[in-house]
Amino acid sequence: MPTYKTLMRGFDFGPWTVIPERGLIRKADVEHKLEPLVMDVFVVLASHGGEVVSKDQLIQTVWKGRPQTDDVISRCISALRRGLADDAKNPAFIETVQRRGYRIMQPVAVSDAHDRMSGVTEGKSLRPDPVLLAVGFIAVALVAWFVLLDRAPTVGEESFASVAVYPFDCLLEESDSGRHLCFGFAEQAITALNEVSGVRIVRKRSLFDPSQPVEEDSIVTGSVQIIADDVRIAARLEDARTGEVAWSDTFDASRNGVFDLQRRVGNGLRSALDEDFVALPTGGSVSFAAAEAYALGRYLFEQRDHDRIEEAIAQFEEAIRLDAAFGDAWLGLAYTYSIWPDYDLRVDRWSSFDKALDVISEGVRRDPSIAEAAGTVYGYVYHKQNRWGDAMAQTLKAVSAESPGADDYHWHSRVLASVGRLDESLEFARLGAARDPEYPVSMSRLAIASFWVDDLESAGRYFDIANRMDLEASIHSLAYSLFLIRSGQFDAAAVMATRAMEAISLPSDWVGPVFAGISNPAERASALERLGALHDAGEMPANIILTLSVLLDDVDRAMQVARGMATGESVFEPEIIFIEDFREFRQHPGFAAFVREIGLEAYWDEAGCRWQDDSVVCP
């Protein structure tokens, strides 16, 4: 049986040719590069032929006896299977033997694999010939040239028009809490690639699965291995059409150098797509402690959980305390303050908005480079304050920046809808979903914006996708409930409305009686009575009372509630008043006064828009 050392020179594994020293596996015209840790696992398995290799044996050989979790080993096996295009449920190459370990399922043969892949033929030891020596120098130069090309290639004759960036696989010890460090590598890659002109960057939120189709031209994948204070990063850019590796590299550093590594990975990827790009030195002025606090804040914020948002705020504040000129930390803190009330009704909305504005103003003063990105924070708050022109200008600035994010498109879409520009709102919702198709917020926005323009078929499809993402947001659940009512699915609508109320800690015992009145005219009187009691008791947000009043055909009550919101302290996002279900509301005699009171009429005049045939027409 070949030894580990022998196999490191290269071997054939079924249809694959393997060169561990170069991290390469090749089958016909398909070539993949495995990260060093995954290749080490592969060679150990190959050195045992078809025998089962236990996890303890892998730990002793690959990790030199350092304790590892099952998760770390499983991720290495998964990465190996991805490289071999193996199916874990019906494997042809690597078999999982339950409670025992893993074994290879193809023959291993030591051969001239190394020479065939490297283009070198062994010969006798000869005295150097001057001519051959010159040829050798030329060959070395050519090899060096192609190595350089490997770092900044144009794959085939076509350049990449789109790149899908997948989360980096996170290989950690069980006791390590550094998943936020892994999260940051894909984020940095996206930031760097967004600056490449003419290339559409798509963020993915689940690990790359080779069995699933990829719509983009190319993919970025990688892994982060963190053991104690040592960090190893493997990243690569691959042509999704051919499987050819366009760029790949492996980086090593201490944990304190992880953020420098993030920038190096981003620079490497950008140089692979932009031949004119010259990477700047990666060292930065932000301390490791500040950068780590910010990274943890981003990681916590992304989970959109009530408690995690509060923890995220604490981490952003810590990053700012450690480095007051850290613009991204100011931006993260301000955005978190702005949306926090939407996830926790216990938070004082107006106080949180004031904090968001104070934080972002100070952040821009400290770091002017975040001024464009700050537009989303300003726009969000101005939108809640019915400052439509200001909100529009700020969110437009954010989506017009060099590398806008999905949240920027999301909020510009909502501002457009709130001033009645529903078709434009849908276009920006589509842009946000194209940028980040696995982001639940983007997909929910696309579903809602499609519903608002009466594209029920598309809306239903996008609602289904967002629902499978387990989105926990009351605005989504309520919009989907309204969609189900329009579709005649009243029981399902009641379930969604109940879920929305429970998510924001509001009473839900009214849902059954009120929805019975919506579906059955005979129950309408009792439903209206119940709704009136809710309104009088102040137990329900006014915008929900307004919507339910319209659905129960009590347009007078709806207008009364709306006028009260216009002159009070309630937050009202009026996009819903422009949809088909609110046609009678728009025909109410009080509608003109209402749009004047909430400032929409003034915005339309300023923007050159006009009210025509029951809709807003803008230049």
Side-chain angles (χ1 to χ4, degrees), residues 20-285:
E21 291 176 344
R22 295 176 57 195
L24 294 176
I25 61 174
R26 177 182 291 164
K27 180 177 67 174
D29 295 330
V30 176
E31 182 177 289
H32 295 305
K33 188 166 185 178
L34 301 180
E35 64 169 293
L37 190 67
V38 175
M39 182 60 83
D40 285 347
V41 171
F42 191 10
V43 176
V44 171
L45 294 177
S47 69
H48 285 75
E51 297 177 359
V52 176
V53 181
S54 70
K55 293 179 179 178
D56 286 341
Q57 288 175 290
L58 288 172
I59 290 171
Q60 288 301 320
T61 307
V62 177
W63 285 276
K64 312 304 180 187
R66 290 177 295 188
Q68 302 297 317
T69 66
D70 289 350
D71 185 52
V72 170
I73 299 172
S74 297
R75 287 179 183 274
C76 285
I77 296 295
S78 295
L80 176 57
R81 283 186 172 129
R82 286 199 296 272
L84 295 170
D86 200 16
D87 183 354
K89 294 181 180 179
N90 187 26
F93 297 103
I94 307 294
E95 179 185 8
T96 300
V97 182
Q98 293 297 328
R99 292 186 294 276
R100 292 184 59 198
Y102 307 93
R103 74 177 190 90
I104 60 171
M105 302 172 66
Q106 297 284 336
V108 172
V110 178
S111 64
D112 61 348
H114 183 280
D115 296 338
R116 282 189 278 114
M117 292 183 76
S118 63
V120 178
T121 303
E122 292 183 3
K124 298 179 180 179
S125 177
L126 299 174
R127 182 179 177 181
D129 182 278
V131 174
L132 293 178
L133 194 60
V135 172
F137 279 123
I138 294 172
V140 170
L142 287 173
V143 169
W145 172 251
F146 283 111
V147 168
L148 289 174
L149 285 181
D150 184 52
R151 293 180 180 271
T154 299
V155 178
E157 296 183 358
E158 297 183 63
S159 59
F160 295 139
S162 57
V163 182
V165 181
Y166 288 84
F168 279 37
D169 208 354
C170 201
L171 309 174
L172 301 177
E173 295 176 303
E174 186 174 11
S175 61
D176 201 307
S177 59
R179 293 202 176 275
H180 58 288
L181 301 178
C182 304
F183 170 82
F185 279 90
E187 296 297 301
Q188 184 65 39
I190 291 169
T191 298
L193 294 177
N194 272 333
E195 297 180 7
V196 180
S197 177
V199 179
R200 181 170 63 91
I201 309 303
V202 179
R203 175 179 176 176
K204 301 291 186 177
R205 292 176 178 264
S206 54
L207 291 173
F208 175 64
D209 181 351
S211 67
Q212 298 299 315
V214 177
E215 295 181 1
E216 292 72 32
D217 298 338
S218 58
I219 61 173
V220 170
T221 57
S223 64
V224 183
Q225 182 189 10
I226 303 177
I227 299 177
D229 288 329
D230 296 323
V231 182
R232 168 166 286 185
I233 311 302
R236 72 177 180 180
L237 172 69
E238 180 180 334
D239 191 324
R241 301 160 297 190
T242 66
E244 184 177 352
V245 176
W247 171 90
S248 66
D249 211 338
T250 301
F251 306 86
D252 291 289
S254 68
R255 184 182 285 253
N256 282 351
V258 70
F259 298 106
D260 181 64
L261 278 188
Q262 289 181 3
R263 290 187 287 271
R264 287 167 60 191
V265 169
N267 285 342
L269 285 165
R270 184 174 173 187
S271 67
L273 291 177
D274 183 357
E275 61 183 11
D276 295 326
F277 173 68
V278 177
L280 297 174
T282 54
S285 59

Side-chain angles (χ1 to χ4, degrees), residues 208-492:
F208 175 64
D209 181 351
S211 67
Q212 298 299 315
V214 177
E215 295 181 1
E216 292 72 32
D217 298 338
S218 58
I219 61 173
V220 170
T221 57
S223 64
V224 183
Q225 182 189 10
I226 303 177
I227 299 177
D229 288 329
D230 296 323
V231 182
R232 168 166 286 185
I233 311 302
R236 72 177 180 180
L237 172 69
E238 180 180 334
D239 191 324
R241 301 160 297 190
T242 66
E244 184 177 352
V245 176
W247 171 90
S248 66
D249 211 338
T250 301
F251 306 86
D252 291 289
S254 68
R255 184 182 285 253
N256 282 351
V258 70
F259 298 106
D260 181 64
L261 278 188
Q262 289 181 3
R263 290 187 287 271
R264 287 167 60 191
V265 169
N267 285 342
L269 285 165
R270 184 174 173 187
S271 67
L273 291 177
D274 183 357
E275 61 183 11
D276 295 326
F277 173 68
V278 177
L280 297 174
T282 54
S285 59
V286 178
S287 70
F288 172 79
E292 183 168 36
Y294 168 73
L296 182 54
R298 283 289 308 276
Y299 178 75
L300 292 166
F301 174 77
E302 280 292 319
Q303 299 175 50
R304 294 295 204 277
D305 176 79
H306 300 268
D307 295 334
R308 293 300 178 89
I309 288 180
E310 194 164 11
E311 293 176 36
I313 288 174
Q315 292 298 325
F316 289 137
E317 290 176 335
E318 175 65 7
I320 291 169
R321 185 189 68 79
L322 292 167
D323 188 342
F326 193 177
D328 285 344
W330 287 99
L331 190 62
L333 179 60
Y335 189 68
T336 305
Y337 270 133
S338 67
I339 75 162
W340 194 15
D342 283 351
Y343 289 85
D344 192 342
L345 292 182
R346 295 167 296 182
V347 175
D348 184 292
R349 183 177 298 274
W350 300 110
S351 174
S352 193
F353 290 162
D354 288 342
K355 288 180 181 178
L357 293 179
D358 289 343
V359 167
I360 199 60
S361 296
E362 181 64 14
V364 171
R365 188 183 72 81
R366 299 268 189 170
D367 183 358
S369 70
I370 67 171
E372 289 182 330
T376 291
V377 176
Y378 283 116
Y380 181 98
V381 176
Y382 293 160
H383 174 239
K384 300 289 188 178
Q385 295 173 337
N386 295 355
R387 296 170 57 181
W388 311 115
D390 293 337
M392 186 69 70
Q394 290 292 336
T395 57
L396 183 60
K397 180 170 70 173
V399 298
S400 301
E402 189 170 11
S403 54
D407 284 321
D408 300 319
Y409 289 116
H410 171 84
W411 278 106
H412 191 55
S413 172
R414 287 182 68 168
V415 172
L416 284 165
S418 287
V419 298
R421 301 166 69 166
L422 301 186
D423 290 334
E424 295 169 84
S425 171
L426 176 57
E427 288 304 313
F428 278 91
R430 286 172 176 155
L431 289 171
R435 174 62 60 88
D436 200 346
E438 296 180 17
Y439 186 26
V441 172
S442 291
M443 195 53 62
S444 170
R445 183 63 210 168
L446 183 54
I448 293 171
S450 299
F451 177 32
W452 284 177
V453 299
D454 283 334
D455 183 356
L456 301 186
E457 181 180 353
S458 296
R461 184 168 66 253
Y462 298 136
F463 272 125
D464 286 344
I465 295 172
N467 292 338
R468 288 197 295 271
M469 294 177 176
D470 296 324
L471 178 62
E472 295 292 338
S474 60
I475 188 171
H476 171 81
S477 298
L478 290 172
Y480 184 49
S481 180
L482 185 58
F483 171 81
L484 292 170
I485 289 172
R486 175 84 74 83
S487 306
Q489 303 178 59
F490 296 103
D491 290 341

